[in-house]
Amino acid sequence: MGGAASQAGTGTGTGTDRRRRGAVVAALMLSMALAALDSTIVSTAIPQIVGDLGGFSVFSWLFSGYLLAVTVTLPVYGKLSDTFGRKPVLIGGSALFLLGSVLCAASWNMGALIAFRVVQGLGGGAIQGTVQTLAADLYPLKERPRIQARLSTVWATSSVAGPALGGMLASGAGWRWIFLINVPIGALALWLVARHLHEPVREKGPRAPIDWAGALAVFACGGVLLTALVQGGVAWGWLSPPSIALFGTGVALTAAVVAIERRAAEPIIPGWVWRRRTIAAVNLALGALGLLMVAPTVFVPTYAQAVLGLAPMAAGFVLSVMTLSWPVSAALSQHVYRRIGFRNTAVVGIAAALLILLAFPLLPYPGAAWQPALIMLALGAALGLFQLPLIVGVQSTVGWAERGTTTASVLFCRQIGQTIGAALFGAVANTVLAGRLGGAGSLDAVAEALENPASVADPDRLRHAVAAAVDAVYVGAACGAALALVILLCLAPRRFPVIDQENERAAGTEAGAEPEPEPEPEKASPGPQGSQQHHSPLSQQTD
């Protein structure tokens, strides 16, 4: 960041600069709360929404449509923030999110609500990517874990509070208020950003045209493939004509994306994202994280209700303890990676997560609630130690003009991993349930049984089947953790090529000049205007 923001980021600015940065950080936390709440607050209001609008057969698209829009727009917003700056992208995305929220509250049927949720997602993609990028812009490497830990805490708190807040609003003021509550929070965040975020003046000069063709191709390709993954095995069979048509179209669009991006002067998804060893390794590792995260977030509440016999709120608590230990571990991870490096810290975290995931199938049946809760608590601590060093590390290997694209690629891969994991582990769970229940079992049937226990002829058989299905999913999640571990050990460099931020400022990166691509993956790139970007003393010690 330039001007006041850069001074505040280094800790050498005036009191006004520090207050300005504090206001921007508050805006980032409010914006992150919007995105985090939206992923959980809607779920508890589904009965009221369906009762009012109908459309029970398609209500799952309230979540799928939002997820699709967020995922496919992340690369586009990342590139736009590197080209035009973070501020206009964050303001535009937040405004679009708030517009979608107001439209959702005014929905007259389920089709309209789904369409407006997609509008929300188009804004949510800008919020998620740009907030994480600005966090790296505002703080130097030494202080970056502080803001990342705050953002993790916001996400964790929102994840825990979202269902309770959604249920309270839906049963009291009405379900439309779960969308209207976004307006005052988002308006305050917008005002703080517009007033206090000051970005550097970018150098005037020729600028390559925006790759709108590539953006449209990426959006179409991602939308088609994600729809195939989200709906496959749910709305239609994997080998049915709709699945084959969607996957075939997705392959054709993938080829079109590659062709368009290779010809573009400034591609939306530049090739250097995958040519640089560090960025490629982090992308793949966090994609594996998204894959394995499906196991606790999707299947633990069902396990807690069906196997342990807990009420929905108590079942949610079993999962929520993971969101308590995750930000604490993330905040403390800096003391580890300053000693042993980013990669080694992440290796320790994912290795611990692998053992914890394998411990879940060893829990006694039916067991006590504290046992899976303890597993979730330990898993959150391990994953906090894994994720944050990789995000901080990869953001520190690029200059200002590449940080938005790099951050967006990391978040995009994690979202893709979650989508693949939901499809893969859903198929695994359904297969195990069908085998245990005589070919008639599915996750949908389990959900219906939980709503009406009297309809179950043999509840103990159902509990054993659910336990076996969740155990199988956790074994699959452990395979995802093993994949991430192999990626880090085989692909990630032992020392991340961290750019010295003081040298970056002196070279003009924060004034808008773009650094040249790295000639070799494990070496820092030559700085803009011909000056050399050296590794900082911190990177020499720890990375």
Side-chain angles (χ1 to χ4, degrees):
M1 300 290 296
S6 67
Q7 290 176 353
T10 61
T12 60
T14 65
T16 301
D17 296 332
R18 287 191 289 273
R19 286 194 296 273
R20 182 171 291 160
R21 186 179 70 170
V24 174
V25 170
L28 298 186
M29 295 176 71
L30 288 172
S31 299
M32 184 61 77
L34 283 178
L37 274 173
D38 201 78
S39 63
T40 57
I41 195 172
V42 178
S43 59
T44 51
I46 288 299
Q48 288 80 8
I49 293 174
V50 171
D52 188 15
L53 301 180
F56 178 79
S57 61
V58 294
F59 84 86
S60 63
W61 274 99
L62 292 177
F63 309 99
S64 300
Y66 181 85
L67 172 66
L68 292 174
V70 168
T71 303
V72 299
T73 54
L74 278 169
V76 178
Y77 286 127
K79 184 62 180 179
L80 291 177
S81 75
D82 283 343
T83 304
F84 298 106
R86 326 295 189 214
K87 186 173 182 176
V89 173
L90 182 56
I91 288 178
S94 299
L96 189 58
F97 182 90
L98 294 181
L99 173 62
S101 298
V102 173
L103 292 173
C104 284
S107 297
W108 54 92
N109 58 37
M110 185 62 75
L113 182 56
I114 290 171
F116 297 146
R117 282 282 288 168
V118 172
V119 175
Q120 266 194 314
L122 295 177
I127 292 174
Q128 289 194 29
T130 311
V131 165
Q132 291 284 358
T133 305
L134 272 169
D137 289 342
L138 282 170
Y139 284 82
L141 178 58
K142 276 197 218 174
E143 300 179 30
R144 205 165 288 162
R146 182 191 309 172
I147 179 63
Q148 291 287 359
R150 289 179 185 176
L151 294 178
S152 296
T153 302
V154 168
W155 194 278
T157 302
S158 300
S159 299
V160 175
L165 180 60
M168 182 178 66
L169 289 174
S171 59
W175 65 264
R176 297 180 190 273
W177 280 95
I178 69 176
F179 300 107
L180 291 175
I181 197 174
N182 294 332
V183 176
I185 300 173
L188 177 58
L190 270 175
W191 180 80
L192 290 172
V193 169
R195 181 177 176 84
H196 295 289
L197 177 58
H198 298 282
E199 292 193 286
V201 178
R202 301 197 44 95
E203 292 182 348
K204 302 294 183 182
R207 178 183 288 163
I210 299 174
D211 180 24
W212 291 117
L216 181 61
V218 168
F219 188 89
C221 178
V224 168
L225 288 176
L226 288 174
T227 300
L229 289 170
V230 168
Q231 295 298 105
V234 179
W236 48 71
W238 287 108
L239 298 178
S240 65
S243 280
I244 294 172
L246 284 171
F247 280 115
T249 304
V251 170
L253 288 172
T254 300
V257 168
V258 173
I260 293 171
E261 297 297 81
R262 291 183 66 177
R263 293 189 180 96
E266 288 290 338
I268 292 294
I269 303 180
W272 55 260
V273 168
W274 293 105
R275 287 195 298 268
R276 298 186 194 178
R277 181 179 169 188
T278 304
I279 300 175
V282 172
N283 282 344
L284 294 174
L286 290 184
L289 171 65
L291 182 79
L292 70 88
M293 277 300 298
V294 172
T297 56
V298 175
F299 291 92
V300 162
T302 300
Y303 176 90
Q305 291 182 68
V307 178
L308 303 181
L310 300 180
M313 184 170 293
F317 176 77
V318 172
L319 173 61
S320 68
V321 293
M322 181 179 71
T323 65
L324 301 178
S325 58
W326 191 313
V328 174
S329 173
L332 296 176
S333 67
Q334 59 178 313
H335 302 295
V336 182
Y337 68 66
R338 285 178 180 171
R339 291 179 176 273
I340 65 175
F342 292 122
R343 189 198 75 161
N344 291 341
T345 303
V347 165
V348 171
I350 198 62
L354 171 59
L355 297 177
I356 293 165
L357 290 167
L358 288 174
F360 191 95
L362 302 178
L363 292 177
Y365 174 87
W370 66 266
Q371 294 167 333
L374 182 61
I375 292 284
M376 293 300 99
L377 188 71
L379 184 62
L383 294 179
L385 201 62
F386 167 70
Q387 177 180 258
L388 186 66
L390 292 182
I391 292 178
V392 171
V394 77
Q395 288 180 328
S396 303
T397 65
V398 294
W400 187 96
E402 295 178 335
R403 195 170 289 139
T405 299
T406 300
T407 304
S409 72
V410 168
L411 298 178
F412 177 75
C413 288
R414 190 177 65 187
Q415 293 280 90
I416 291 294
Q418 288 179 334
T419 306
I420 294 173
L424 177 63
F425 294 145
V428 169
N430 283 334
T431 300
V432 173
L433 286 171
R436 292 281 184 142
L437 300 176
S442 70
L443 291 176
D444 292 337
V446 171
E448 292 175 9
L450 292 176
E451 292 291 331
N452 185 18
S455 64
V456 182
D458 190 350
D460 191 59
R461 185 183 183 194
L462 176 63
R463 285 196 294 270
H464 274 93
V466 172
V470 176
D471 287 348
V473 166
Y474 265 80
V475 171
C479 292
L483 176 61
L485 181 61
V486 170
I487 290 168
L488 290 178
L489 292 176
C490 298
L491 186 57
R494 290 186 59 223
R495 296 176 180 234
F496 281 23
V498 175
I499 293 176
D500 186 333
Q501 287 191 317
E502 293 302 321
N503 188 57
E504 180 189 347
R505 288 193 189 92
T509 300
E510 291 202 334
E514 297 203 11
E516 299 175 8
E518 292 176 328
E520 296 180 16
E522 295 191 29
K523 295 181 181 178
S525 61
Q529 303 172 357
S531 61
Q532 181 69 29
Q533 292 177 339
H534 301 286
H535 287 200
S536 68
L538 178 61
S539 71
Q540 292 172 354
Q541 292 172 3
T542 66
D543 300 303

